[in-house]
Amino acid sequence: MTEMTSSAGTIEQAVTRLRDLQRANRHDAALQAVQPLLAAHPLNRDLALIEAISLRHLHRFDDCLARLDVLMDRQPGYSLGWQERGLVHIAQRDAPLAIAALVRAVAINPALPMAWRMLEGVYRLVGDTANAAHAAAQGAALKALPPEVVHATALFSDGDLVPAEAIIRQFLIGFGDHPEAMRLLARIGLAREVLDDAEALLAAALTIAPDHRPARIDYIDVLIARHKYAEADRELAPLLAATPHDQRLRTQAGTICVGLGRHDDAIAHYRSLLADLPVLPDDPVNRATRADLNLWMGHALKTIGQRDAAIAAYREAAAIRPEFGDAWWSLANLKTFRFTDADIAVMQAGEASEATAPVDRVHLAFALGKALEDKRDHAASWDYYARGNGHRRAESRYRPEVIETNTAEQIRVCTGAFFAERAGWGCAARDPIFVLGLPRAGSTLLEQILASHPQIEGTQELPDIQRIVLELQGREPDLDHPRYPGTMADLTADQARALGERYLADTRVHRSEGRPLFIDKMPNNFRHIGLIHLILPNATIIDARREPMACCFSNLKQLFAQGQEFTYAVDDIARYYRTYLNLMRHWDTALPGRVLRVIHEDVIDDLEGQVRRMLDACGVPFDPACLAFHENRRSVRTPSSEQVRQPLFRTGLDQWRSYEAWLEPLELALGDALTTWRT
């Protein structure tokens, strides 16, 4: 290299020097310097873009487009790559292709002044005055914003969250409240899942600028992410009434309908969106959108028991995008679906391809694990399950110590004496029935049985207890030295009652049938039984428990949509199971008789006896409809949705034994839990 030596330092420093060469119009030198770096770092998009820019300036347009083909195939969401493609087509005097590329660029990243300027010029060239005016308006809007906000927005849109956040925070410190800057910081918070901060920022921005439509749309996204579907619905209604054909608003409407349990309405939204969306097979964004809509429609159809229609929707999603791992996994996650040999070949090709996105590869691995398990090829099946788990665990930030510390704190704080001093506290209502425990332990089956009773309504895995926990933890919690559950000791009787009343008020939106009792089936609520008892002392609490090998194995082969990060490694799931047993034994000591334990295997062996136990605990008379639970057509959103629509069979109890050759580490990690799990 003539302008760059091997001691140039980091890639970031190299990129800076290469850009300096380009600013000095030394494109031959920049190209000579970037190519060996790109050979060593072929996935670095900054280097790839620098190479493309220099090739364009050197009028090597075909070479430039070939490099951009590779870049955009790997990173189709990189706006600067599409902008560069547009600039090449402008240089080639190809207006249609230039417009297509530049429109793609600004769709990903609206904070691209150059792209808007070029679009305005090309539109005027072809006589499209309306779009030229729109591009000019967008460019003028960017020019009216502070440069720091424009730069940070561009970085954020291309996924560079760290520098974007640093720039926008520094700007807000110096400038003060600025609605667009506050909106951007909220969007960064949403991307980082710091949802309470994002909600507060957007609410404040809308107080300053109530007519800021993009901020209100983002606010709806945050409310959806926080499962505040009723509030999101209220915010969306006037926007959707004003612009009923807006694709983003209609998509939000579908998501809200799912969250509120209005699945028929959600399906109608998705079908309408698909009907209005053109079919553009060569447009990756169009293909991704159509595939996603079919996937979401499949989920809603599955939830209401329309299995065949759900399968058709999932298959359509996979046909549009053969590497779409979520579509294949959704078929596998029906549990009762069986793949063909041709399906397996397509999935194996996708899982093995370097071009497949990591998230798709994980979904494909789990789907192949299930497909080959059904083929009784257990060695190959385990290999795919292990690969999927390995990928998922590698990207996870889960630390078992956090859960164990919280458990130790629950045991320290929530003693029998603690509750005796607070006897009579909380909201006296007996409406909620909490079905909790580990995932894949039979809680969906218990919910389906109970929801078949005319006095009990099934809802879903409600996030409301966790939301209260987050408030008690405070912002920016120290997970190694948590404030919760210690903060429960600071609550007054009035505050405990108010929390119980708020829980009932917030969950009422899910109670569409008006039955006196309802089920909250969030498994992880077992960690918060002390809080539940404090704020809702008359609620029913049922612990769904399953034999440890069967339960842990079932978790190891399950890919969860979100959360449950402890399920992707043998040691993690074993430690979690043992921690669960430890905490449940504490609740038995501190709150004797408060929790009804229901063993999954006992339900299989003695359905009527276990049903009578549960109904007695809920305070309702026996009803034979609970024995015919599989005939209940209610909505079920968990992975067991198809299984609970069938009569009980014993065949699933010992599925793990087909994998015994690979599960010795799990047995060792579980230790005495294998013999003491019932107590």
Side-chain angles (χ1 to χ4, degrees), residues 406-415 418 482-483 485-486 586:
N406 182 268
T407 297
E409 283 295 289
Q410 295 281 357
I411 293 171
R412 182 185 68 82
V413 172
C414 298
T415 63
F418 176 89
R483 296 178 62 230
H586 169 72

Side-chain angles (χ1 to χ4, degrees), residues 426-432 504 536-539:
C427 173
R430 52 183 295 269
D431 302 30
L504 292 175
L536 293 160
N538 296 318

Side-chain angles (χ1 to χ4, degrees), residues 31-343:
L31 185 63
Q32 185 180 1
V34 75
Q35 287 179 333
L37 287 170
L38 196 53
H41 305 278
L43 300 181
N44 187 287
R45 69 184 189 183
D46 292 328
L47 295 174
L49 184 64
I50 286 169
E51 181 186 37
I53 290 171
S54 286
L55 287 168
R56 171 170 60 84
H57 278 280
L58 294 170
H59 293 184
R60 292 172 55 181
F61 300 134
D62 289 341
D63 289 340
C64 179
L65 289 173
R67 301 299 194 278
L68 288 171
D69 284 342
V70 175
L71 173 61
M72 303 322 295
D73 185 58
R74 289 171 175 164
Q75 301 200 45
Y78 187 33
S79 68
L80 292 178
W82 291 109
Q83 176 177 273
E84 181 59 28
R85 181 180 287 276
L87 295 176
V88 175
H89 290 312
I90 287 173
Q92 293 179 314
R93 304 183 184 280
D94 190 329
L97 288 181
I99 289 171
L102 292 169
V103 165
R104 179 73 59 78
V106 296
I108 296 167
N109 180 358
L112 289 176
M114 178 184 288
W116 287 116
R117 285 198 308 273
M118 294 298 105
L119 269 174
E120 180 189 0
V122 179
Y123 277 133
R124 292 197 188 285
L125 185 66
V126 299
D128 189 342
T129 56
N131 273 320
H134 173 73
Q138 294 298 316
L142 286 179
K143 194 172 183 179
L145 289 174
E148 298 92 337
V149 176
V150 175
H151 182 41
T153 301
L155 289 169
F156 167 78
S157 298
D158 276 332
D160 295 323
L161 270 61
V162 173
E165 182 173 5
I167 291 169
I168 209 65
R169 283 191 181 278
Q170 190 62 38
F171 170 78
L172 283 167
I173 290 171
F175 186 93
D177 290 344
H178 185 285
E180 188 60 32
M182 295 163 72
R183 176 193 172 218
L184 176 57
L185 190 57
R187 294 171 72 196
I188 294 170
L190 178 59
R192 294 189 183 282
E193 298 185 351
V194 187
L195 301 180
D196 53 346
D197 285 354
E199 182 180 351
L201 279 163
L202 287 166
L206 289 168
T207 300
I208 300 168
D211 296 329
H212 196 313
R213 178 185 169 90
R216 197 164 296 279
I217 293 172
D218 289 345
Y219 186 49
I220 294 167
D221 280 337
V222 173
L223 292 174
I224 290 171
R226 300 202 73 187
H227 303 283
K228 294 184 176 182
Y229 298 111
E231 293 177 46
D233 200 27
R234 288 192 295 271
E235 291 285 337
L236 178 65
L239 296 181
L240 195 56
T243 52
H245 301 295
D246 186 294
Q247 180 177 322
R248 182 174 176 187
L249 298 182
R250 292 163 71 191
T251 301
Q252 287 180 323
T255 304
I256 290 168
C257 286
V258 169
L260 294 174
R262 301 191 327 237
H263 299 287
D264 288 333
D265 291 340
I267 292 165
H269 278 297
Y270 296 142
R271 283 183 171 150
S272 175
L273 279 162
L274 281 166
D276 292 345
L277 195 66
V279 177
L280 305 173
D282 296 329
D283 184 336
V285 174
N286 176 270
R287 288 172 53 236
T289 301
R290 289 189 293 115
D292 283 342
L293 287 168
N294 276 285
L295 179 79
W296 300 335
M297 186 165 66
H299 292 340
L301 289 163
K302 174 186 121 172
T303 299
I304 61 175
Q306 294 190 23
R307 180 180 183 275
D308 291 344
I311 290 172
Y314 291 145
R315 280 206 172 279
E316 179 64 17
I320 294 168
R321 280 189 59 216
E323 77 285 4
F324 192 11
D326 206 347
W328 293 108
W329 167 246
S330 296
L331 287 166
N333 207 24
L334 288 169
K335 307 305 181 188
T336 56
F337 177 84
R338 297 296 178 265
F339 290 104
T340 66
D341 290 342
D343 292 334

Side-chain angles (χ1 to χ4, degrees), residues 562-581:
Q562 59 184 0
Q564 317 301 19
E565 296 294 312
F566 55 87
T567 64
Y568 299 113
V570 165
D571 286 344
D572 290 343
I573 184 61
R575 285 178 70 169
Y576 196 87
Y577 192 100
R578 291 171 64 87
T579 302
Y580 153 75
L581 291 183

Side-chain angles (χ1 to χ4, degrees), residues 483-648:
R483 296 178 62 230
Y484 168 84
T487 47
M488 285 200 295
D490 300 328
L491 294 174
T492 65
D494 287 343
Q495 289 172 327
R497 183 183 66 255
L499 287 175
E501 291 171 348
R502 194 182 85 190
Y503 171 86
L504 292 175
D506 289 348
T507 55
R508 193 163 300 281
V509 67
H510 301 286
R511 301 174 65 180
S512 58
E513 298 175 3
R515 299 184 185 186
L517 305 178
F518 73 99
I519 304 164
D520 180 341
K521 199 197 73 66
M522 177 63 76
N524 295 337
N525 280 340
F526 81 85
R527 304 203 319 249
H528 311 299
I529 288 174
L531 173 63
I532 291 170
H533 176 74
L534 188 65
I535 68 174
L536 293 160
N538 296 318
T540 303
I541 303 174
I542 298 175
D543 170 26
R545 188 169 298 187
R546 187 179 181 188
E547 189 276 327
M549 288 297 293
C551 184
C552 292
F553 171 69
S554 188
N555 275 282
L556 285 169
K557 64 176 188 169
Q558 180 66 42
L559 177 58
F560 292 92
Q562 59 184 0
Q564 317 301 19
E565 296 294 312
F566 55 87
T567 64
Y568 299 113
V570 165
D571 286 344
D572 290 343
I573 184 61
R575 285 178 70 169
Y576 196 87
Y577 192 100
R578 291 171 64 87
T579 302
Y580 153 75
L581 291 183
N582 189 26
L583 185 55
M584 294 309 298
R585 287 170 186 144
H586 169 72
W587 299 132
D588 289 343
T589 300
L591 296 167
R594 186 70 178 86
V595 179
L596 177 70
R597 180 157 304 119
V598 178
I599 305 295
H600 180 66
E601 289 76 7
D602 292 348
V603 176
I604 304 297
D605 291 336
D606 178 20
L607 176 61
E608 182 172 342
Q610 296 303 314
V611 168
R612 289 184 180 276
R613 286 182 69 226
M614 289 191 290
L615 296 181
D616 285 346
C618 296
V620 297
F622 175 76
D623 193 295
C626 294
L627 301 180
F629 62 88
H630 54 281
E631 298 174 2
N632 189 339
R633 295 294 95 189
R634 58 177 286 270
S635 300
V636 183
R637 296 181 63 177
T638 66
S640 303
S641 60
E642 292 305 300
Q643 293 165 308
V644 299
R645 293 190 174 108
Q646 299 178 345
L648 291 182

